[in-house]
Amino acid sequence: MSTTHVPNVYLLPVIQFASGGCAGLVEVSLMHPLDLIKTRFQIQRGPEDPNRYTSLYDCFKKISRNEGMLGFYKGILPPLLAETPKRATKFFAFERYKNLFAYGEHIPQPIVLTLAGLFSGLTEAVIINPFEVVKVKLQAERDNIKGQKSTVATAREIFKEHGFGRKGLNKGLTSTLGRHGIFNMIYFSLYHNVKNTFPETEDKVLDFLKKFTVGFISGVLGSCTNIPFDVAKSRIQGPQPVPGEIKYQKCFQSIHLIYKEEGFFALYKGLVPKVLRLGPGAAIMMIVYEHVFDWLKKFI
């Protein structure tokens, strides 16, 4: 009796999905403390904030002293639960959109990569936003982690009070769409276009350094470009200045309000920890994805 062999064309999306999930799991496990610090800087307001952090060192010192070292991992469960499907969706969607826009070979390859990155980011944002709402709420709390509500309890509380709409688990969706759409557009386009300009090499060390450098630069530029949307997202999803009064309501309204009240550079709050996280994080993610992808192709 003959056995049916499943063509690689059907297994390829599965491999891409699994590789993206592994990449996300590794990246968030290594880089989450910097994401927490970034969020803390983004949600603090002007000099009148009595709990404001004055520098990265000051933030690190206060968190470790008041909340313990585990405080740097507040809100890690939502991204851990989300990163596997999130990154899996990112890479899976990128490959699908790339094939879609390249169909018929009418669009130049650099534009195909840019469009595929943009739409993969928009797709990723829709999936990840409820997890972001829960994560930011947990990260904003400054009490010791032992007294903090669980991720599930926090999500249930948000859903019970506000539901799944724009005041609940989908709060700040437009900002998340802007953040992920812009980042992925730059990240994928720059990485693949620049990487392909370098000659192929059999030297594994040089190959690793090439991929890490291009991934790092892609992550840094994507982070520097999309951060106003990230700041707006943190303000919308984080605690409001006056309890019961919603000051930051919509994406562009929040960006305008932050600029008007705090100045242009307030839109870049948290840039240093964001770059420190997403520079190496973006490089790690792409390298893990490509290595897992190559490994799975050998065995599946």
Side-chain angles (χ1 to χ4, degrees), residues 200-232:
E200 293 291 332
T201 176
E202 296 296 326
D203 190 321
K204 292 185 178 180
V205 175
L206 284 177
D207 185 61
F208 174 84
L209 290 175
K210 176 185 74 174
K211 292 178 179 178
F212 187 89
T213 302
V214 178
F216 181 88
I217 294 172
S218 302
V220 169
L221 291 179
S223 300
C224 292
T225 307
N226 80 340
I227 192 168
F229 290 93
D230 199 4
V231 173

Side-chain angles (χ1 to χ4, degrees), residues 108-246:
Q109 182 71 0
I111 297 178
V112 168
L113 294 170
T114 301
L115 290 174
L118 172 62
F119 280 89
S120 70
L122 297 177
T123 303
E124 178 189 30
V126 173
I127 294 173
I128 197 63
N129 195 65
F131 295 93
E132 287 289 318
V133 172
V134 177
K135 183 195 76 171
V136 170
K137 182 174 175 59
L138 290 169
Q139 288 182 335
E141 295 174 359
R142 300 196 181 192
D143 297 328
N144 191 286
I145 194 170
K146 293 180 180 179
Q148 191 174 50
K149 290 183 180 179
S150 70
T151 298
V152 174
T154 302
R156 188 183 295 118
E157 181 182 271
I158 295 171
F159 181 78
K160 184 178 179 180
E161 290 183 11
H162 304 290
F164 201 73
R166 65 182 186 88
K167 292 184 179 180
L169 289 172
N170 257 315
K171 182 164 56 174
L173 177 59
T174 303
S175 301
T176 306
L177 287 167
R179 184 180 79 157
H180 287 266
I182 292 172
F183 180 86
N184 283 4
M185 178 179 69
I186 295 171
Y187 176 57
F188 281 114
S189 176
L190 189 62
Y191 179 82
H192 288 289
N193 281 313
V194 173
K195 186 188 73 168
N196 293 336
T197 63
F198 290 96
E200 293 291 332
T201 176
E202 296 296 326
D203 190 321
K204 292 185 178 180
V205 175
L206 284 177
D207 185 61
F208 174 84
L209 290 175
K210 176 185 74 174
K211 292 178 179 178
F212 187 89
T213 302
V214 178
F216 181 88
I217 294 172
S218 302
V220 169
L221 291 179
S223 300
C224 292
T225 307
N226 80 340
I227 192 168
F229 290 93
D230 199 4
V231 173
K233 183 190 79 68
S234 294
R235 292 290 180 94
I236 294 168
Q237 295 177 347
Q240 299 293 313
V242 180
E245 178 184 319
I246 302 177

